[in-house]
């Protein structure tokens, strides 16, 4: 069996800190996984950094955000470590896993699949349980008890649902163009049917618009940025107004910012990522 301890596979200096990529064997997923950490510059050997998890969207790996977002500049000045996992198990060769871009490989939806064929797709447990434990056991410079979570599109869905179900584990949440009501959009319906079966009540456990009614003791304002020129917004994949309504009903603090002219891309993310890092810094470094 491969080593469960993470092995460093690359390192690049950036804004006086370091982007480092690691691989490890994940017992949760039953395969080898990669993840990135951006370590901000350290002012003393015993300095410990809070962590901000970034969950990426459909088709992404652990590399997209690190290469394209520019988040490291403000993470460096705010003293926050960025943790970027992959988006699904890889290399398991499950029949049909790569047949479509919005399901299977690169499309784990940050849930625990219950359908037998996809039993290795346990990204919820990987992000919430395995990865934080791995980090706390192997990287003494990280303070995993001070954690926040953010993400884009499918990863925005993951960040919101994981945060709402684990309000004791994360200080704050934000998202870019998240899939906030997956039970009512084509991406979510396809993924949930395949991963979770036909029981719609099981689907609601991974739908932020459903969860906010139950888990609304939110301390920090939920920050969402959504481009109004996003084609997936107009195809009714994202449905931010549904989440907005649900937050109002639950009296949960939401700042939903519609950004004129922006699309669904990393150009959009790079334009507003500084705001998101600072939003989390307020919660992580009070």
């Amino acid at each position: 069996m491969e080593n469960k301890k993470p092995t460093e596979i690359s390192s690049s200096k950036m804004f006086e800190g370091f982007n480092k990529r690691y691989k490890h064997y994940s017992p949760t997923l039953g395969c080898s996984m990669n993840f990135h950490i951006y370590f901000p510059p350290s002012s003393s050997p015993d300095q410990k950094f809070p962590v901000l998890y970034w969950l990426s969207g459909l088709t992404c790996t652990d590399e997209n955000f690190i290469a394209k977002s520019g988040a490291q500049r403000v993470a460096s000045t705010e003293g926050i470590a960025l943790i970027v996992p992959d988006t699904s198990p890889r290399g398991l060769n499950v029949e049909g896993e790569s047949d479509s871009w919005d399901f299977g490989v690169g499309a784990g939806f940050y849930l625990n699949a219950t359908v037998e064929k996809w039993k290795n797709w346990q990204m919820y447990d990987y992000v919430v349980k395995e990865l934080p434990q791995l980090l706390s056991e192997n990287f003494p410079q990280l303070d995993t008890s001070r954690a926040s979570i953010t993400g884009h599109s499918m990863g925005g869905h993951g960040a919101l649902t994981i945060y709402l179900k684990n309000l004791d584990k994360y200080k704050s949440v934000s998202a870019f163009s998240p899939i906030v009501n997956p039970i009512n959009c084509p991406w979510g319906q396809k993924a949930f049917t395949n991963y979770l079966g036909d029981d719609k009540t099981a689907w609601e456990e991974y739908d932020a618009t459903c969860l906010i009614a139950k888990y609304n003791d939110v301390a920090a304002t939920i920050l969402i940025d959504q481009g109004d020129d996003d084609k997936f917004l107009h195809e009714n994949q994202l449905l931010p107004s549904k989440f907005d309504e649900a937050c109002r009903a639950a009296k949960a603090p939401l700042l939903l910012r519609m950004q004129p002219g922006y699309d669904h891309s990393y150009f959009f993310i790079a334009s507003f990522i500084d705001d998101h890092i600072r939003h989390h810094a307020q919660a992580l470094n009070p």
Side-chain angles (χ1 to χ4, degrees):
M1 185 179 280
E2 292 180 64
N3 191 354
K4 291 180 192 175
K5 272 191 173 304
T7 307
E8 186 179 311
I9 50 180
S10 70
S11 177
S12 304
K13 190 171 185 179
M14 190 176 185
F15 298 117
E16 299 304 315
F18 284 90
N19 296 313
K20 290 182 180 283
R21 194 183 196 198
Y22 298 89
K23 70 180 285 188
H24 74 110
Y25 178 79
S26 164
T28 304
L29 306 175
C31 63
S32 178
M33 292 292 282
N34 296 331
F35 63 91
H36 265 92
I37 304 178
Y38 175 70
F39 293 98
S42 182
S43 55
S44 72
D46 53 359
Q47 185 175 3
K48 288 172 87 74
F49 300 109
V51 299
L52 175 61
Y53 295 92
W54 171 272
L55 304 184
S56 295
L58 292 164
T59 75
C60 289
T61 68
D62 60 302
E63 295 185 283
N64 304 70
F65 179 77
I66 288 292
K68 294 179 175 179
S69 72
Q72 295 92 333
R73 184 193 303 268
V74 174
S76 164
T77 58
E78 295 287 353
I80 291 173
L82 304 174
I83 314 294
V84 188
D86 203 347
T87 53
S88 77
R90 292 182 194 265
L92 291 166
N93 299 317
V94 175
E95 186 200 350
E97 68 176 17
S98 299
D99 285 0
S100 55
W101 65 275
D102 56 359
F103 178 75
V105 168
F109 273 85
Y110 305 101
L111 49 73
N112 289 337
T114 51
V115 171
E116 178 64 21
K117 180 178 178 180
W118 303 102
K119 65 180 186 291
N120 289 80
W121 267 248
Q122 304 289 315
M123 288 300 295
Y124 179 91
D125 277 357
Y126 179 73
V127 170
V128 175
K129 297 175 183 174
E130 183 179 341
L131 193 54
Q133 187 177 346
L134 188 82
L135 297 174
S136 67
E137 288 172 358
N138 292 282
F139 301 99
Q141 63 273 58
L142 301 180
D143 179 4
T144 53
S145 71
R146 285 187 295 153
S148 290
I149 192 162
T150 181
H152 172 233
S153 196
M154 174 186 73
H157 140 79
L160 290 166
T161 53
I162 285 171
Y163 172 76
L164 291 173
K165 291 164 79 160
N166 298 276
L167 291 169
D168 58 327
K169 284 193 173 78
Y170 304 95
K171 308 288 187 195
S172 53
V173 69
S174 71
F176 289 85
S177 20
I179 305 169
V180 290
N181 192 198
I183 66 171
N184 287 319
C185 80
W187 282 339
Q189 290 164 349
K190 176 178 179 176
F192 289 4
T193 303
N194 283 290
Y195 289 136
L196 303 170
D198 295 325
D199 177 9
K200 300 272 171 76
T201 55
W203 297 12
E204 292 179 3
E205 284 300 304
Y206 298 104
D207 184 302
T209 300
C210 299
L211 291 171
I212 194 72
K214 217 186 329 185
Y215 305 106
N216 51 26
D217 189 19
V218 175
T221 298
I222 298 167
L223 172 61
I224 293 178
D225 274 317
Q226 172 64 60
D228 77 356
D229 204 25
D230 183 331
K231 71 171 186 173
F232 300 116
L233 174 69
H234 301 299
E235 290 171 6
N236 292 321
Q237 295 281 18
L238 307 174
L239 306 172
S241 60
K242 297 283 192 196
F243 187 63
D244 188 25
E245 289 166 23
C247 285
R248 286 174 201 273
K251 296 187 168 53
L254 170 67
L255 177 57
L256 170 60
R257 307 194 302 188
M258 298 301 294
Q259 303 290 5
Y262 285 92
D263 60 15
H264 199 72
S265 70
Y266 267 87
F267 300 118
F268 168 51
I269 294 168
S271 300
F272 297 100
I273 191 65
D274 290 8
D275 288 356
H276 286 244
I277 303 287
R278 292 189 180 109
H279 166 79
H280 294 296
Q282 283 187 315
L284 292 167
N285 296 316

